[in-house]
Amino acid sequence: MRKYFGTDGIRGRANGVITPELALKVGQAAGLVFQRGDHRHRVVIGKDTRLSGYMIETALIAGFTSVGMDVLQLGPMPTPAVAMLTRSMRADIGVMISASHNPFEDNGIKLFGPDGFKLSDEVEREIERLIDSSLHTRLAGSTDLGRAKRIESVHARYIEFAKRTLPRNLTLDGLRVVVDCANGAAYRVAPETLWELGAEVIAIGTEPDGFNINRDVGSTAPEALVAKVRELRADIGIALDGDADRVLVVDEKGQRVDGDQLMAVVARSWQEDDRLSKNGIVATIMSNLGLERYLGGLGLGMVRTAVGDRYVLEHMREHGYNLGGEQSGHIIMSDYATTGDGLVAALQLLSVVQRQQRPVSEVCHCFDPLPQVLKNVRYGVGGEPLRQDSVVTAIEGARQRLGEGGRLVIRPSGTEPVIRVMAEGDDRDLVVRVVDDVVEALRKVAA
């Protein structure tokens, strides 16, 4: 078990878990780990639009500069943009300050290596070891301290990168697109990218005030997007989350399209164009069984990993896949990016829509999902409800009732004290009863 890092960096309540003291030490520790060679080392730092981003950014800058690293400040930028710019600007490390889809009270620190990929567990453990050690003897001398500089051109760089993921002769002319930026990191770059590609763009969730990120907008609260698509009779709605590494799509009828359907669309398109590097994709244990069956019908396989886009990406890199993702909308296309990119995933879908000249509802209805029920149970910090005998018995009974035609997934969240209970199968009533029974057992011990 790691002390600070979860499934997606370090995350928690701002000024509670994510304090200036911790951010300072993370900057020092990560800076020391990635000082390799005699060159002048540099780090790029991006953030979303949370009020606490100012505090954390300042503390990180103090940490990095105190160990001799120069800091390039990007300001509010999507997580995939930070990963891309880490490589493009030849930085030794990249940092994104964000708690993704969490409310504004939370924040987090995501780290990328010089290759733009998230760090391995081994490197994160080394950073944790340094965080808890005495670092004062390893600080830079007075003449070797780092400098900090704000970079102004980064928005244009990312917009150009996103546009180049499409063929030059493909435009979005004729499409009316509603894009919901969740009052988050993509509030400038996403609408601009779509407009430059020729779409008629209606943008919502583009007025961040430090407090409203993900509040009633974005991929985790798509009701506003659904209403706007129906009101304006738009062709498509695109909802990003707070740091824009995930996407949810709404078709012209106001129906939601999740990451599983998006992966199906892209997998089929790339198979037809002979662009899949392997005969299949990588998904997680949360992806619907309907996706697996659909891909099987195309002659494609589907490998499942633990939840978290980092685990999807690790398997993709190790085994040579170039397409993977999560049901939640983290879509990873390693031909273009080193992490999930909500905007690029949406552009890939739009390219299929334009080429086929069919409504989004038709393009994105690849399969009928099996009934799937997901519920969360919150527990006290430090508790271990999954170890209780009554819970173990309830889980074993649930698996037996579902049989081989269904799936039961029980997992603790990597970012908050929550147990997620998911079941799926052909019989919806059975799935609901199974989840309710396990949740009830968990709630009794959690209470």
Side-chain angles (χ1 to χ4, degrees), residues 29 101 146 177 216-217 311 350 388 417 436:
H101 58 279
V177 180
D216 301 324
V217 287
Y311 300 114
L350 288 169
Q388 302 301 315
D436 286 344

Side-chain angles (χ1 to χ4, degrees), residues 75-350:
M77 287 292 289
T79 288
V82 174
M84 181 273 289
L85 290 163
T86 300
R87 292 182 298 162
S88 173
M89 303 183 78
R90 309 299 195 270
D92 298 279
I93 188 170
V95 183
M96 178 65 181
I97 304 168
S98 176
S100 191
H101 58 279
N102 287 26
F104 92 94
E105 295 92 345
D106 295 337
N107 216 325
I109 302 172
K110 303 181 184 183
L111 301 175
F112 298 93
D115 56 3
F117 289 99
K118 292 180 180 178
L119 307 185
S120 67
D121 290 347
E122 181 182 0
V123 174
E124 288 182 347
R125 281 192 290 268
E126 174 64 12
I127 291 173
E128 287 194 342
R129 185 187 68 78
L130 287 174
I131 289 173
D132 287 335
S133 67
S134 177
L135 296 175
H136 69 278
T137 60
R138 302 186 62 180
L139 301 182
S142 300
T143 60
D144 298 320
L145 293 172
R147 302 172 183 267
K149 177 182 180 180
R150 186 167 297 279
I151 307 299
E152 301 295 343
S153 62
V154 290
H155 294 93
R157 293 191 192 197
Y158 177 67
I159 289 170
E160 192 61 28
F161 154 78
K163 288 163 55 181
R164 286 182 178 178
T165 63
L166 297 182
R168 286 188 60 86
N169 62 348
L170 190 146
T171 73
L172 304 183
D173 290 349
L175 286 180
R176 176 176 289 182
V177 180
V178 180
V179 59
D180 180 350
C181 300
N183 291 317
Y187 77 98
R188 289 178 58 185
V189 293
E192 182 72 16
T193 302
L194 293 164
W195 179 81
E196 288 191 16
L197 286 167
E200 177 188 349
V201 181
I202 301 94
I204 63 175
T206 56
E207 298 180 356
D209 61 9
F211 305 95
N212 60 2
I213 186 170
N214 299 315
R215 185 196 297 164
D216 301 324
V217 287
S219 62
T220 53
E223 294 79 13
L225 179 65
V226 170
K228 186 62 71 172
V229 167
R230 288 173 173 166
E231 174 193 346
L232 300 177
R233 298 183 180 179
D235 297 296
I236 188 172
I238 298 167
L240 304 171
D241 68 339
D243 68 336
D245 64 351
R246 71 166 71 178
V247 63
L248 179 141
V249 168
V250 172
D251 67 23
E252 78 282 358
K253 299 177 181 178
Q255 299 171 333
R256 303 175 192 181
V257 179
D258 66 11
D260 284 349
Q261 296 283 1
L262 293 179
M263 284 189 284
V265 172
V266 177
R268 181 184 61 201
S269 173
W270 283 17
Q271 181 190 39
E272 293 171 352
D273 295 340
D274 196 27
R275 292 176 58 192
L276 287 175
S277 59
K278 297 275 282 192
N279 199 39
I281 72 169
V282 181
T284 77
I285 55 176
M286 300 300 287
S287 278
N288 195 278
L289 195 55
L291 171 61
E292 189 171 346
R293 294 177 180 178
Y294 171 76
L295 294 174
L298 297 176
L300 299 176
M302 188 178 92
V303 180
R304 294 184 185 269
T305 72
V307 172
D309 61 323
R310 59 177 293 175
Y311 300 114
V312 173
L313 184 55
E314 284 175 4
H315 192 93
M316 290 172 63
R317 295 180 70 190
E318 183 177 350
H319 298 280
Y321 290 86
N322 63 345
L323 177 61
E326 296 188 277
Q327 185 185 63
S328 61
H330 283 120
I331 310 298
I332 303 172
M333 304 171 182
S334 59
D335 291 350
Y336 305 125
T338 57
T339 186
D341 191 320
L343 178 58
V344 169
L347 293 180
Q348 289 298 307
L349 169 61
L350 288 169

Side-chain angles (χ1 to χ4, degrees), residues 337-385:
T338 57
T339 186
D341 191 320
L343 178 58
V344 169
L347 293 180
Q348 289 298 307
L349 169 61
L350 288 169
S351 72
V352 177
V353 171
Q354 285 294 77
R355 283 186 296 169
Q356 295 186 3
Q357 289 296 298
R358 296 165 57 210
V360 175
S361 59
E362 295 181 12
V363 172
C364 290
H365 188 76
C366 296
F367 62 91
D368 291 322
L370 268 67
Q372 188 180 81
V373 177
L374 170 65
K375 291 189 177 182
N376 298 327
V377 181
R378 188 168 292 274
Y379 62 95
V381 177
E384 295 184 330

